[in-house]
Amino acid sequence: MSEENSNMLLGVRDKPPALNWVLLAIQHVCAMFGATILVPIVVNTTAGADVLSIPVALVSSGLGTLIYLICTRGRSPVYLGSSFAFIAPMIAGYAIAGKASVFTALMIVGLVYVVISLIIRISGKAWINRLLPPVIVGPMIMVIGLSLAPTAISEIGLDLDIIPWQNLIVALIAFLTTAFLAVRGKGILRVIPFLVGIIVGYIVAALLGMVDFTGVMTAQVIAVPEFYLPFMHYDLNFAAILTIVPIALVTMVEHIGDHKVLSEIIGRDLIEDPGLDRTLLGDGLATFLAAFLGGPANTTYGENTSVVGMTRVASVYVIGLAAIIAIIFAFSGHLTALLTAIPAPVLGGISVLLYGFICVNGLKILIHNQVDFNNTKNVVVAATMLVLGLGGATLSVASGDLSIAISGMSLAAIVGIILNLCIPEEKHE
């Protein structure tokens, strides 16, 4: 049984049987794979150049997660993947001074995390709960899940004027398979519903002729990722620091929010144990290593947090093995090509549950902590956060080479924190 005060089937330190262990780990890889490889794809497409490498992103994700687990002493079942928050800054940085400036700045981002973690270790973290009470954290998590919703809709094709019927069938089968197993599955099937849903959806998509296996057939058995290393492939370039590094302060809010929601799931406050200083240290060192290898910045992944919540398996052994599998995939041309070939509607059907679960966890935080919405102040804070976070609001500051854009969950969280601190408590007659 779990060591946490929750309904987990496997606790943080519990080790599953060998076969279950492998299947659970592969499920986590499938959950993070689409988003992790999407960052290099979007950056390269927008920049019109090969700025990032998909295999390097996978290696960075795996190694970064292992570093995080070591820094947190195996006390936090978090998986790290490519950060979306740095997509626009990386593209802008590349336009300013090329790849060297991007990875130099990202290494400094990692160091900023490390410095902040040391400050928290010295000053303590009691101020975190005052800064981020449930009325802030709940809407923050809801915004994370709901802001991802358009991605799932787009993957299925529900945003098109004419929706291909194959997309609907594949997405519906993947969704129903996952949902049924999550609710009524028995044995191992109960804890790997996402993996089974992806496999069943993949098979149906292949039968309908929706899968292009050309990349799988032409891939190399072993393909060494093209790492981009400082002092070997480039000299440090600090031209993009002001464009990229300030975003670290924004992503720290996301880091805290993700750990808050995972704390709610496993029944233990991760901000206290292993501590925000250790989680930030792990995230910072992971990002530094990723940039050193030529990969994107790392961040905690809500998709994998959803898997933990829905399967009720919080084992760090599973997370660690998933990280190792991601690294192996990066060196295997066939496996990477096979995962890359998963049709978007399959991932879309699965993502409806993944992203929806994130949102529901935010709602659970509000309910569990009995946030009083008869208190007008709470209504103002939560309502403002939801509108800003879901309405596409963006606050941009540009001056010369300095360009900072805060949007989505980050903007909502910052405004929510300011409102909660500045608005006086409601007085009753």
Side-chain angles (χ1 to χ4, degrees):
M1 286 296 293
S2 165
E3 62 183 289
E4 281 72 40
N5 180 24
S6 69
N7 62 347
M8 291 289 105
L9 295 175
L10 287 175
V12 172
R13 294 296 185 90
D14 294 336
K15 184 187 297 183
L19 178 59
N20 294 10
W21 190 1
V22 173
L23 293 175
L24 288 165
I26 293 176
Q27 180 172 245
H28 272 284
V29 173
C30 291
M32 69 84 185
F33 192 85
T36 295
I37 70 170
L38 184 60
V39 172
I41 291 173
V42 172
V43 170
N44 294 348
T45 301
T46 308
D50 291 330
V51 182
L52 299 172
S53 161
I54 289 177
V56 173
L58 288 173
V59 171
S60 302
S61 170
L63 290 177
T65 300
L66 293 176
I67 289 173
Y68 174 91
L69 293 178
I70 292 171
C71 290
T72 56
R73 301 175 296 179
R75 300 284 293 168
S76 177
V78 161
Y79 193 94
L80 301 181
S82 304
S83 173
F84 279 71
F86 288 94
I87 288 179
M90 283 191 289
I91 295 169
Y94 176 78
I96 292 171
K99 291 172 66 172
S101 67
V102 171
F103 297 118
T104 301
L106 288 178
M107 281 190 280
I108 294 175
V109 166
L111 295 179
V112 168
Y113 267 62
V114 172
V115 170
I116 297 296
S117 74
L118 294 175
I119 293 173
I120 292 174
R121 188 174 185 84
I122 295 171
S123 65
K125 44 189 173 287
W127 54 273
I128 292 294
N129 289 327
R130 170 169 167 72
L131 201 64
L132 295 170
V135 72
I136 298 291
V137 175
M140 186 189 304
I141 301 306
M142 294 174 71
V143 168
I144 292 175
L146 293 176
S147 63
L148 291 169
T151 302
I153 299 304
S154 177
E155 287 174 330
I156 297 172
L158 292 174
D159 57 344
L160 302 175
D161 292 333
I162 301 177
I163 306 168
W165 61 269
Q166 298 96 327
N167 287 22
L168 290 177
I169 290 177
V170 169
L172 185 61
I173 289 176
F175 171 86
L176 291 177
T177 301
T178 305
F180 178 80
L181 291 178
V183 176
R184 300 294 299 272
K186 303 294 183 182
I188 182 61
L189 294 179
R190 179 74 179 268
V191 294
I192 56 168
F194 294 102
L195 179 58
V196 177
I198 289 173
I199 292 173
V200 172
Y202 205 157
I203 293 173
V204 173
L207 293 175
L208 293 176
M210 298 172 62
V211 183
D212 182 5
F213 289 108
T214 305
V216 180
M217 303 302 293
T218 58
Q220 298 177 341
V221 177
I222 298 177
V224 179
E226 297 180 357
F227 298 109
Y228 191 68
L229 305 173
F231 309 115
M232 182 177 297
H233 299 112
Y234 67 94
D235 293 325
L236 296 181
N237 184 321
F238 299 96
I241 285 180
L242 294 179
T243 300
I244 295 176
V245 173
I247 304 302
L249 300 177
V250 177
T251 54
M252 283 183 195
V253 176
E254 181 181 6
H255 174 101
I256 295 171
D258 284 340
H259 282 80
K260 283 280 190 178
V261 73
L262 184 57
S263 299
E264 188 73 18
I265 290 172
I266 68 173
R268 174 161 54 81
D269 189 353
L270 297 173
I271 301 299
E272 293 293 332
D273 179 18
L276 185 59
D277 55 327
R278 288 184 175 273
T279 64
L280 281 173
L281 176 64
D283 206 341
L285 292 178
T287 292
F288 178 86
L289 178 63
F292 186 87
L293 297 176
N298 279 323
T299 189
T300 52
Y301 257 31
E303 292 90 334
N304 295 84
T305 299
S306 291
V307 172
V308 170
M310 289 198 69
T311 61
R312 293 188 292 157
V313 174
S315 172
V316 291
Y317 292 98
V318 171
I319 299 294
L321 182 58
I324 294 171
I325 291 174
I327 296 170
I328 294 173
F329 277 7
F331 285 86
S332 171
H334 286 108
L335 290 175
T336 301
L338 194 63
L339 283 176
T340 305
I342 298 176
V346 175
L347 298 176
I350 301 298
S351 296
V352 169
L353 284 171
L354 282 176
Y355 302 154
F357 188 82
I358 297 173
C359 174
V360 170
N361 270 304
L363 186 60
K364 285 171 62 179
I365 288 175
L366 295 174
I367 295 172
H368 178 73
N369 290 278
Q370 299 180 330
V371 175
D372 181 13
F373 281 109
N374 287 319
N375 183 329
T376 307
K377 176 182 176 179
N378 289 341
V379 174
V380 170
V381 172
T384 305
M385 290 181 66
L386 290 172
V387 171
L388 290 178
L390 301 176
T394 300
L395 181 63
S396 300
V397 178
S399 177
D401 290 339
L402 173 62
S403 177
I404 301 175
I406 305 173
S407 61
M409 189 275 288
S410 300
L411 178 60
I414 292 172
V415 172
I417 290 170
I418 293 173
L419 288 176
N420 189 58
L421 293 175
C422 295
I423 296 178
E425 293 295 334
E426 183 177 6
K427 290 184 177 181
H428 297 281
E429 295 295 335

